[in-house]
Amino acid sequence: MPVTVGPTAMVTYQGVRDAMPAKACGLPATLHLYPTRVRIVCAGGKHEALHPRFPVLGTVSYLTGQRAQQLAAVYGERKRLYFMRERLVELGPIGEAYVTELVHQRPHTWKGCIARLFAVLEEIGDARFRLVLQRALMQRLIGAEYLERVLAHVPAVVEVAS
């Protein structure tokens, strides 16, 4: 299928958003559908990503390190903050609830927490991060320093039902 890599390095097809390398922003691409995966290629094969056909959780798929690569391509402090916050919210209802509570409970310091949360997300991955967010939210522990404490008590390997 012919597609275009969007301005945030995402390709949307049938309601699923798949991340591409940041340098692929705005380029035309070809999306190849397979029974269990999606392969997206652009710029004559210079940029390529392979994702599960259907993300395990939610409707957004990132490969390890893709968020960090995309963030590196974002210029300006305000845009970088917006990018990090949006990536946390993309985690679904848990991410949205946690970010909302963070902004409301910490109106003067939430920006620093967003950067720390984004770094933890990149370090531990989506599945474990969602679990940590859920536990922190249930315990009303709102803030990056609390989330890091909760993280110490969550197993490194999180099994996700297929």
Side-chain angles (χ1 to χ4, degrees):
M1 308 296 289
V3 294
T4 300
V5 181
T8 59
M10 300 298 285
V11 171
T12 303
Y13 182 75
Q14 293 184 337
V16 176
R17 297 177 65 219
D18 295 305
M20 287 290 290
K23 292 183 179 183
C25 288
L27 296 177
T30 302
L31 183 137
H32 303 270
L33 291 175
Y34 301 98
T36 60
R37 60 191 165 87
V38 172
R39 181 173 164 248
I40 306 166
V41 182
C42 67
K46 185 176 180 182
H47 305 294
E48 183 174 334
L50 189 65
H51 293 274
R53 175 80 184 263
F54 303 103
V56 176
L57 297 169
T59 59
V60 181
S61 178
Y62 285 95
L63 300 176
T64 303
Q66 279 185 313
R67 287 185 189 95
Q69 290 172 355
Q70 290 176 345
L71 178 62
V74 176
Y75 297 101
E77 185 177 332
R78 187 171 178 203
K79 287 180 182 178
R80 291 175 63 81
L81 176 65
Y82 177 80
F83 177 90
M84 289 184 282
R85 188 190 65 189
E86 288 303 301
R87 294 312 165 265
L88 294 168
V89 169
E90 279 179 349
L91 293 170
I94 295 296
E96 186 175 349
Y98 198 87
V99 169
T100 300
E101 285 298 318
L102 179 65
V103 170
H104 286 136
Q105 289 188 26
R106 296 183 165 201
H108 304 291
T109 60
W110 67 270
K111 294 175 184 177
C113 284
I114 291 290
R116 285 173 62 190
L117 294 174
F118 181 84
V120 172
L121 169 62
E122 275 300 287
E123 180 183 329
I124 68 173
D126 292 14
R128 187 170 178 214
F129 191 79
R130 276 188 185 98
L131 182 60
V132 171
L133 274 185
Q134 183 177 22
R135 288 185 182 181
L137 194 57
M138 289 174 64
Q139 296 174 38
R140 307 290 301 150
L141 300 174
I142 307 300
E145 69 279 11
Y146 299 118
L147 188 114
E148 290 167 347
R149 287 187 208 156
V150 172
L151 176 60
H153 301 289
V154 173
V157 178
V158 176
E159 303 254 343
V160 179
S162 301

Tab-separated table of all heavy atoms in Angstrom, residues 94 98 116-117 120 124 127-156 158:
chain	number	residue	atom	x	y	z
A	94	ILE	N	-4.309	4.569	30.887
A	94	ILE	CA	-3.428	4.676	32.051
A	94	ILE	C	-2.464	5.846	31.875
A	94	ILE	O	-2.266	6.646	32.785
A	94	ILE	CB	-2.642	3.353	32.272
A	94	ILE	CG1	-3.588	2.225	32.631
A	94	ILE	CG2	-1.556	3.520	33.322
A	94	ILE	CD1	-4.322	2.403	33.938
A	98	TYR	N	-2.518	9.254	34.162
A	98	TYR	CA	-1.342	9.618	34.957
A	98	TYR	C	-0.842	11.017	34.592
A	98	TYR	O	-0.574	11.838	35.471
A	98	TYR	CB	-0.223	8.588	34.781
A	98	TYR	CG	0.803	8.684	35.885
A	98	TYR	CD1	0.634	7.987	37.074
A	98	TYR	CD2	1.919	9.489	35.763
A	98	TYR	CE1	1.549	8.085	38.105
A	98	TYR	CE2	2.845	9.598	36.783
A	98	TYR	CZ	2.656	8.890	37.950
A	98	TYR	OH	3.569	9.010	38.966
A	116	ARG	N	11.483	12.961	32.831
A	116	ARG	CA	11.958	11.781	33.551
A	116	ARG	C	11.114	10.552	33.233
A	116	ARG	O	11.637	9.452	33.051
A	116	ARG	CB	11.967	12.048	35.056
A	116	ARG	CG	13.125	12.954	35.459
A	116	ARG	CD	13.082	13.392	36.891
A	116	ARG	NE	13.161	12.301	37.851
A	116	ARG	CZ	12.953	12.458	39.153
A	116	ARG	NH1	12.678	13.651	39.645
A	116	ARG	NH2	13.041	11.429	39.962
A	117	LEU	N	9.794	10.731	33.160
A	117	LEU	CA	8.914	9.616	32.820
A	117	LEU	C	9.204	9.103	31.415
A	117	LEU	O	9.227	7.891	31.173
A	117	LEU	CB	7.443	10.032	32.937
A	117	LEU	CG	6.945	10.367	34.338
A	117	LEU	CD1	5.520	10.907	34.273
A	117	LEU	CD2	7.038	9.170	35.251
A	120	VAL	N	12.255	6.947	31.464
A	120	VAL	CA	11.969	5.621	32.032
A	120	VAL	C	11.228	4.766	31.008
A	120	VAL	O	11.540	3.582	30.841
A	120	VAL	CB	11.167	5.736	33.351
A	120	VAL	CG1	10.701	4.365	33.823
A	120	VAL	CG2	11.999	6.421	34.425
A	124	ILE	N	12.561	1.040	29.858
A	124	ILE	CA	11.941	-0.234	30.247
A	124	ILE	C	10.909	-0.761	29.264
A	124	ILE	O	10.492	-1.907	29.380
A	124	ILE	CB	11.332	-0.162	31.663
A	124	ILE	CG1	10.124	0.768	31.705
A	124	ILE	CG2	12.383	0.231	32.671
A	124	ILE	CD1	9.376	0.743	33.033
A	127	ALA	N	5.176	-2.241	27.899
A	127	ALA	CA	4.402	-3.146	28.758
A	127	ALA	C	4.735	-2.927	30.234
A	127	ALA	O	3.830	-2.772	31.063
A	127	ALA	CB	4.640	-4.598	28.368
A	128	ARG	N	6.008	-2.925	30.554
A	128	ARG	CA	6.399	-2.748	31.959
A	128	ARG	C	6.049	-1.340	32.440
A	128	ARG	O	5.610	-1.154	33.570
A	128	ARG	CB	7.896	-3.020	32.118
A	128	ARG	CG	8.343	-3.033	33.559
A	128	ARG	CD	9.760	-3.534	33.686
A	128	ARG	NE	10.187	-3.498	35.071
A	128	ARG	CZ	11.418	-3.241	35.456
A	128	ARG	NH1	12.364	-3.032	34.564
A	128	ARG	NH2	11.731	-3.218	36.734
A	129	PHE	N	6.227	-0.344	31.579
A	129	PHE	CA	5.915	1.031	31.969
A	129	PHE	C	4.424	1.191	32.268
A	129	PHE	O	4.060	1.848	33.234
A	129	PHE	CB	6.351	2.006	30.871
A	129	PHE	CG	6.301	3.436	31.294
A	129	PHE	CD1	7.304	3.985	32.077
A	129	PHE	CD2	5.247	4.256	30.921
A	129	PHE	CE1	7.260	5.316	32.475
A	129	PHE	CE2	5.187	5.581	31.307
A	129	PHE	CZ	6.198	6.108	32.091
A	130	ARG	N	3.558	0.585	31.451
A	130	ARG	CA	2.108	0.653	31.720
A	130	ARG	C	1.782	0.055	33.088
A	130	ARG	O	0.982	0.597	33.834
A	130	ARG	CB	1.329	-0.102	30.647
A	130	ARG	CG	1.044	0.676	29.401
A	130	ARG	CD	0.089	-0.112	28.503
A	130	ARG	NE	-0.123	0.554	27.253
A	130	ARG	CZ	0.518	0.250	26.125
A	130	ARG	NH1	1.405	-0.710	26.102
A	130	ARG	NH2	0.260	0.912	25.026
A	131	LEU	N	2.405	-1.071	33.391
A	131	LEU	CA	2.171	-1.720	34.678
A	131	LEU	C	2.632	-0.831	35.839
A	131	LEU	O	1.924	-0.678	36.831
A	131	LEU	CB	2.887	-3.073	34.730
A	131	LEU	CG	2.685	-3.896	35.999
A	131	LEU	CD1	1.208	-4.215	36.211
A	131	LEU	CD2	3.490	-5.185	35.907
A	132	VAL	N	3.793	-0.223	35.691
A	132	VAL	CA	4.307	0.680	36.727
A	132	VAL	C	3.384	1.886	36.883
A	132	VAL	O	3.057	2.285	38.000
A	132	VAL	CB	5.754	1.121	36.400
A	132	VAL	CG1	6.229	2.212	37.338
A	132	VAL	CG2	6.693	-0.071	36.454
A	133	LEU	N	2.952	2.465	35.764
A	133	LEU	CA	2.017	3.603	35.822
A	133	LEU	C	0.727	3.220	36.531
A	133	LEU	O	0.208	3.974	37.362
A	133	LEU	CB	1.666	4.089	34.413
A	133	LEU	CG	2.557	5.088	33.737
A	133	LEU	CD1	1.950	5.518	32.410
A	133	LEU	CD2	2.854	6.284	34.593
A	134	GLN	N	0.211	2.052	36.193
A	134	GLN	CA	-1.038	1.592	36.801
A	134	GLN	C	-0.887	1.451	38.316
A	134	GLN	O	-1.737	1.904	39.072
A	134	GLN	CB	-1.475	0.276	36.183
A	134	GLN	CG	-2.792	-0.228	36.696
A	134	GLN	CD	-3.216	-1.513	36.005
A	134	GLN	OE1	-2.391	-2.243	35.449
A	134	GLN	NE2	-4.499	-1.776	36.021
A	135	ARG	N	0.192	0.826	38.739
A	135	ARG	CA	0.416	0.652	40.181
A	135	ARG	C	0.590	1.993	40.887
A	135	ARG	O	0.049	2.208	41.964
A	135	ARG	CB	1.629	-0.238	40.433
A	135	ARG	CG	1.355	-1.682	40.084
A	135	ARG	CD	2.507	-2.569	40.455
A	135	ARG	NE	2.223	-3.945	40.068
A	135	ARG	CZ	3.046	-4.946	40.276
A	135	ARG	NH1	4.200	-4.746	40.882
A	135	ARG	NH2	2.718	-6.159	39.897
A	136	ALA	N	1.341	2.892	40.277
A	136	ALA	CA	1.552	4.211	40.877
A	136	ALA	C	0.232	4.980	40.949
A	136	ALA	O	-0.068	5.623	41.963
A	136	ALA	CB	2.586	4.998	40.076
A	137	LEU	N	-0.564	4.908	39.907
A	137	LEU	CA	-1.850	5.608	39.877
A	137	LEU	C	-2.799	5.046	40.932
A	137	LEU	O	-3.471	5.805	41.635
A	137	LEU	CB	-2.458	5.492	38.479
A	137	LEU	CG	-3.616	6.413	38.134
A	137	LEU	CD1	-3.231	7.870	38.307
A	137	LEU	CD2	-4.056	6.172	36.699
A	138	MET	N	-2.834	3.731	41.063
A	138	MET	CA	-3.711	3.106	42.060
A	138	MET	C	-3.310	3.497	43.493
A	138	MET	O	-4.155	3.588	44.370
A	138	MET	CB	-3.688	1.585	41.898
A	138	MET	CG	-4.406	1.123	40.644
A	138	MET	SD	-4.254	-0.649	40.350
A	138	MET	CE	-5.097	-1.298	41.776
A	139	GLN	N	-2.029	3.731	43.705
A	139	GLN	CA	-1.541	4.120	45.029
A	139	GLN	C	-1.499	5.635	45.196
A	139	GLN	O	-1.047	6.128	46.226
A	139	GLN	CB	-0.142	3.530	45.248
A	139	GLN	CG	-0.119	2.024	45.276
A	139	GLN	CD	1.304	1.488	45.351
A	139	GLN	OE1	2.152	2.052	46.029
A	139	GLN	NE2	1.555	0.392	44.652
A	140	ARG	N	-1.959	6.353	44.162
A	140	ARG	CA	-1.987	7.822	44.167
A	140	ARG	C	-0.583	8.402	44.332
A	140	ARG	O	-0.377	9.411	44.997
A	140	ARG	CB	-2.922	8.371	45.236
A	140	ARG	CG	-4.336	7.829	45.224
A	140	ARG	CD	-5.198	8.268	44.076
A	140	ARG	NE	-5.332	9.699	44.041
A	140	ARG	CZ	-5.517	10.390	42.922
A	140	ARG	NH1	-5.599	9.784	41.778
A	140	ARG	NH2	-5.635	11.691	42.940
A	141	LEU	N	0.394	7.761	43.717
A	141	LEU	CA	1.780	8.211	43.749
A	141	LEU	C	2.064	8.943	42.443
A	141	LEU	O	2.433	8.345	41.441
A	141	LEU	CB	2.727	7.024	43.926
A	141	LEU	CG	2.530	6.212	45.199
A	141	LEU	CD1	3.420	4.978	45.195
A	141	LEU	CD2	2.801	7.078	46.425
A	142	ILE	N	1.860	10.239	42.464
A	142	ILE	CA	1.949	11.037	41.250
A	142	ILE	C	3.246	11.843	41.269
A	142	ILE	O	3.435	12.735	42.082
A	142	ILE	CB	0.737	11.987	41.119
A	142	ILE	CG1	-0.581	11.216	41.243
A	142	ILE	CG2	0.803	12.773	39.823
A	142	ILE	CD1	-0.791	10.128	40.205
A	143	GLY	N	4.126	11.503	40.371
A	143	GLY	CA	5.416	12.177	40.246
A	143	GLY	C	6.481	11.179	39.840
A	143	GLY	O	6.411	9.998	40.181
A	144	ALA	N	7.466	11.646	39.104
A	144	ALA	CA	8.510	10.758	38.582
A	144	ALA	C	9.281	10.068	39.691
A	144	ALA	O	9.615	8.886	39.583
A	144	ALA	CB	9.458	11.541	37.681
A	145	GLU	N	9.541	10.766	40.788
A	145	GLU	CA	10.315	10.153	41.874
A	145	GLU	C	9.554	8.984	42.508
A	145	GLU	O	10.141	7.980	42.901
A	145	GLU	CB	10.720	11.183	42.939
A	145	GLU	CG	9.585	11.732	43.765
A	145	GLU	CD	8.777	12.854	43.112
A	145	GLU	OE1	8.943	13.111	41.905
A	145	GLU	OE2	7.978	13.468	43.823
A	146	TYR	N	8.219	9.095	42.576
A	146	TYR	CA	7.412	8.003	43.120
A	146	TYR	C	7.358	6.840	42.131
A	146	TYR	O	7.414	5.679	42.520
A	146	TYR	CB	5.999	8.475	43.446
A	146	TYR	CG	5.968	9.566	44.479
A	146	TYR	CD1	5.458	10.818	44.170
A	146	TYR	CD2	6.451	9.351	45.763
A	146	TYR	CE1	5.429	11.823	45.112
A	146	TYR	CE2	6.430	10.365	46.717
A	146	TYR	CZ	5.916	11.598	46.383
A	146	TYR	OH	5.894	12.594	47.310
A	147	LEU	N	7.219	7.170	40.853
A	147	LEU	CA	7.158	6.138	39.848
A	147	LEU	C	8.449	5.321	39.833
A	147	LEU	O	8.418	4.106	39.688
A	147	LEU	CB	6.916	6.756	38.472
A	147	LEU	CG	6.659	5.720	37.399
A	147	LEU	CD1	5.243	5.836	36.886
A	147	LEU	CD2	7.652	5.854	36.297
A	148	GLU	N	9.564	5.977	40.017
A	148	GLU	CA	10.840	5.266	40.049
A	148	GLU	C	10.912	4.314	41.242
A	148	GLU	O	11.504	3.240	41.150
A	148	GLU	CB	11.990	6.266	40.044
A	148	GLU	CG	12.116	6.970	38.681
A	148	GLU	CD	13.022	8.185	38.675
A	148	GLU	OE1	13.394	8.672	39.764
A	148	GLU	OE2	13.350	8.648	37.573
A	149	ARG	N	10.293	4.673	42.363
A	149	ARG	CA	10.238	3.769	43.519
A	149	ARG	C	9.359	2.558	43.231
A	149	ARG	O	9.698	1.436	43.596
A	149	ARG	CB	9.709	4.505	44.752
A	149	ARG	CG	10.700	5.470	45.337
A	149	ARG	CD	10.174	6.026	46.641
A	149	ARG	NE	10.733	7.354	46.840
A	149	ARG	CZ	10.189	8.288	47.582
A	149	ARG	NH1	9.049	8.059	48.214
A	149	ARG	NH2	10.761	9.455	47.719
A	150	VAL	N	8.229	2.787	42.593
A	150	VAL	CA	7.330	1.687	42.229
A	150	VAL	C	8.049	0.748	41.262
A	150	VAL	O	7.937	-0.478	41.368
A	150	VAL	CB	6.013	2.217	41.611
A	150	VAL	CG1	5.170	1.076	41.050
A	150	VAL	CG2	5.219	3.009	42.645
A	151	LEU	N	8.802	1.307	40.349
A	151	LEU	CA	9.535	0.526	39.358
A	151	LEU	C	10.459	-0.502	40.013
A	151	LEU	O	10.603	-1.615	39.512
A	151	LEU	CB	10.352	1.461	38.459
A	151	LEU	CG	11.261	0.816	37.424
A	151	LEU	CD1	10.458	-0.031	36.458
A	151	LEU	CD2	12.036	1.892	36.688
A	152	ALA	N	11.032	-0.145	41.145
A	152	ALA	CA	11.938	-1.056	41.841
A	152	ALA	C	11.232	-2.340	42.296
A	152	ALA	O	11.880	-3.350	42.535
A	152	ALA	CB	12.562	-0.349	43.033
A	153	HIS	N	9.900	-2.297	42.394
A	153	HIS	CA	9.130	-3.449	42.880
A	153	HIS	C	8.367	-4.184	41.773
A	153	HIS	O	7.569	-5.068	42.068
A	153	HIS	CB	8.151	-3.002	43.966
A	153	HIS	CG	8.841	-2.367	45.137
A	153	HIS	ND1	9.601	-3.079	46.033
A	153	HIS	CD2	8.919	-1.071	45.515
A	153	HIS	CE1	10.101	-2.248	46.934
A	153	HIS	NE2	9.707	-1.031	46.633
A	154	VAL	N	8.606	-3.815	40.523
A	154	VAL	CA	7.930	-4.462	39.397
A	154	VAL	C	8.956	-5.325	38.675
A	154	VAL	O	10.039	-4.855	38.338
A	154	VAL	CB	7.328	-3.412	38.428
A	154	VAL	CG1	6.772	-4.076	37.189
A	154	VAL	CG2	6.249	-2.611	39.132
A	155	PRO	N	8.644	-6.588	38.455
A	155	PRO	CA	9.601	-7.489	37.800
A	155	PRO	C	10.067	-6.949	36.459
A	155	PRO	O	9.311	-6.307	35.737
A	155	PRO	CB	8.826	-8.794	37.614
A	155	PRO	CG	7.490	-8.606	38.226
A	155	PRO	CD	7.352	-7.207	38.692
A	156	ALA	N	11.316	-7.242	36.125
A	156	ALA	CA	11.899	-6.769	34.860
A	156	ALA	C	11.214	-7.390	33.651
A	156	ALA	O	11.092	-6.782	32.627
A	156	ALA	CB	13.387	-7.046	34.828
A	158	VAL	N	7.845	-8.592	32.102
A	158	VAL	CA	6.394	-8.506	32.246
A	158	VAL	C	5.770	-9.325	31.132
A	158	VAL	O	6.018	-9.084	29.963
A	158	VAL	CB	5.908	-7.038	32.171
A	158	VAL	CG1	4.404	-6.972	32.218
A	158	VAL	CG2	6.524	-6.213	33.277
